[in-house]
Amino acid sequence: MFNPIFDTFSNRNKPVYIARKKGVRYDEYNNEIVEYEKPFYYGAKNYQPMTWKTLQAYMSAFGETKSNVVQMLIDYTDRGIFKEFDLMYLYGATPKGENVYGENANYLVKAFREQNTKIMVILEEIIKEENNG
């Protein structure tokens, strides 16, 4: 299993897939169900775990988290390709074999922070419950 804190350089230029948020529907019990578009390949990108200093800034803005938080710099030309609350497949996760779009995704796009010539994308790991019984 990949450990982003210790394997900093092994995630350079790895495949990234994106499932864009399509909308929200409600089931018969009024539970909100988020629907996503068919995932697409975004390319080989360099994403890294946040350093302690940037993680502290993240937690002051978004609150405490026990999830891994990753940052990725993208070009301004990629500005409209995805948005906050879309899903990403990082660290070897792919959409192959999904029954529902987004079910294999392991990161959620939390924020975009514009820099001088780049945009910093902040992604938070999705903690999935395991069914052990």
Side-chain angles (χ1 to χ4, degrees):
M1 180 171 182
F2 178 79
N3 186 342
I5 295 169
F6 299 108
D7 297 337
T8 302
F9 296 106
S10 66
N11 62 343
R12 272 192 78 195
N13 298 321
K14 294 287 187 177
V16 173
Y17 294 86
I18 299 172
R20 289 191 275 231
K21 183 177 176 181
K22 182 166 63 171
V24 177
R25 67 177 175 85
Y26 295 90
D27 66 10
E28 62 272 10
Y29 301 104
N30 210 29
N31 295 314
E32 187 177 283
I33 299 170
V34 181
E35 294 180 323
Y36 295 92
E37 295 176 3
K38 182 177 181 178
F40 64 92
Y41 179 68
Y42 180 49
K45 302 297 177 184
N46 183 13
Y47 46 88
Q48 300 292 328
M50 282 192 160
T51 62
W52 177 245
K53 194 172 199 173
T54 54
L55 186 58
Q56 284 181 313
Y58 173 85
M59 287 191 294
S60 70
F62 294 99
E64 193 172 3
T65 180
K66 80 178 210 178
S67 300
N68 291 317
V69 182
V70 172
Q71 59 189 359
M72 176 173 61
L73 290 174
I74 63 170
D75 292 323
Y76 269 99
T77 56
D78 290 350
R79 175 182 263 153
I81 291 178
F82 59 95
K83 61 191 179 312
E84 291 169 327
F85 308 113
D86 288 347
L87 298 178
M88 285 207 177
Y89 303 72
L90 304 181
Y91 300 120
T94 69
K96 291 182 179 155
E98 287 184 331
N99 294 318
V100 176
Y101 295 147
E103 73 179 339
N104 293 344
N106 55 353
Y107 278 81
L108 174 72
V109 178
K110 290 292 280 193
F112 287 88
R113 298 288 180 255
E114 295 190 11
Q115 313 290 308
N116 290 333
T117 59
K118 301 277 186 183
I119 300 171
M120 179 189 294
V121 181
I122 299 171
L123 308 150
E124 188 171 317
E125 183 182 26
I126 300 168
I127 304 296
K128 297 184 181 183
E129 292 182 25
E130 301 225 358
N131 189 357
N132 294 329

